[in-house]
Amino acid sequence: MSLSKPIYSLVGIYLEQLFNHPVRTKSITSSILAGSANYTAQRIAGQKVNQESVIAYSLFGLIFGGTVPHYFYRTVERLFNHDMKFRRFFQFLSERLVFAPFYQLLSLYFLSIFEMNSHEVAVANLKKLYWPLLRTNWQYLSIPVFLNMAFVPPMLRTVTMSIVSFIWVVYMARRRRRLQEKSTGDSDKKGNQ
């Protein structure tokens, strides 16, 4: 019983911050979760932790992870008003067909840039990973997105998807790391020939 009081207090403080400062709170939450997910992916892979990559994911979460989803969900709520038939379905479709492709592109490009890669390398990584990751996103994240749109209050949607995105970021970080290792291995083979 004594442990639950501090937890309720922290949740209350968090919800108060979320209500009073939604973008800042969502951005900080997204930053912490994205950096933690990247760290987790590296640890699962048994690698030495690449701090630059953890910082890149945290920076992306801070700059884009709270703001872009916040304004997207807000806009979708306004566009599809309460009187509209199949409102949640249209919100879901807009998330899957507009937001997910845009956000996937944004994340792949800027994560590469934040890891100090050149524009050319970022675009090359984007070309290799965009479609496979987007298809996987549609395949595995559509049900959580639908449940989020249907049952979670608008104020909590970004935070809820940030928590779901923790798993997605672990997957995406591992996939990006494999691509980088493969391209490094391929360039080493060409250099040795």
Side-chain angles (χ1 to χ4, degrees):
M1 225 13 135
S2 62
L3 181 62
S4 64
K5 187 172 182 173
I7 292 172
Y8 284 127
S9 295
L10 285 174
V11 170
I13 291 168
Y14 182 80
L15 291 175
E16 180 182 337
Q17 289 299 310
L18 191 60
F19 182 77
N20 292 326
H21 310 284
V23 175
R24 180 181 68 190
T25 305
K26 291 172 185 179
S27 294
I28 292 169
T29 302
S30 180
S31 177
I32 291 168
L33 288 171
S36 300
N38 181 269
Y39 176 84
T40 302
Q42 292 183 50
R43 297 298 293 170
I44 289 172
Q47 299 174 329
K48 181 177 179 259
V49 175
N50 179 343
Q51 293 178 348
E52 290 82 16
S53 185
V54 174
I55 291 169
Y57 275 78
S58 296
L59 186 59
F60 179 83
L62 187 64
I63 295 171
F64 298 109
T67 55
V68 174
H70 170 81
Y71 289 112
F72 170 77
Y73 287 126
R74 213 166 96 179
T75 302
V76 164
E77 279 296 315
R78 289 182 184 159
L79 285 176
F80 302 108
N81 61 23
H82 296 290
D83 300 333
M84 185 176 183
K85 192 174 183 178
F86 303 114
R87 174 177 175 253
R88 295 291 182 216
F89 179 70
F90 286 117
Q91 288 178 333
F92 168 74
L93 280 181
S94 65
E95 199 285 342
R96 298 283 71 205
L97 299 177
V98 176
F99 179 75
F102 168 74
Y103 198 70
Q104 191 68 59
L105 184 133
L106 187 75
S107 64
L108 287 172
Y109 179 79
F110 277 102
L111 285 170
S112 192
I113 293 296
F114 291 159
E115 288 176 339
M116 302 302 177
N117 292 315
S118 68
H119 169 73
E120 291 76 21
V121 170
V123 170
N125 286 340
L126 185 61
K127 286 179 181 177
K128 290 176 187 170
L129 286 172
Y130 181 74
W131 283 112
L133 284 176
L134 184 60
R135 280 193 308 264
T136 306
N137 180 313
W138 283 338
Q139 184 177 3
Y140 293 110
L141 295 183
S142 291
I143 291 174
V145 166
F146 179 78
L147 294 174
N148 188 37
M149 297 296 252
F151 300 110
V152 176
M155 184 175 88
L156 298 174
R157 285 187 186 148
T158 301
V159 175
T160 304
M161 283 315 295
S162 289
I163 294 167
V164 170
S165 293
F166 179 90
I167 297 165
W168 176 249
V169 169
V170 169
Y171 173 79
M172 189 171 70
R174 290 190 67 200
R175 189 81 184 249
R176 288 182 69 241
R177 185 70 49 220
R178 281 190 208 139
L179 174 70
Q180 289 171 345
E181 289 171 356
K182 183 181 176 187
S183 59
T184 303
D186 290 345
S187 63
D188 288 346
K189 286 178 187 175
K190 288 177 185 175
N192 292 332
Q193 292 177 351

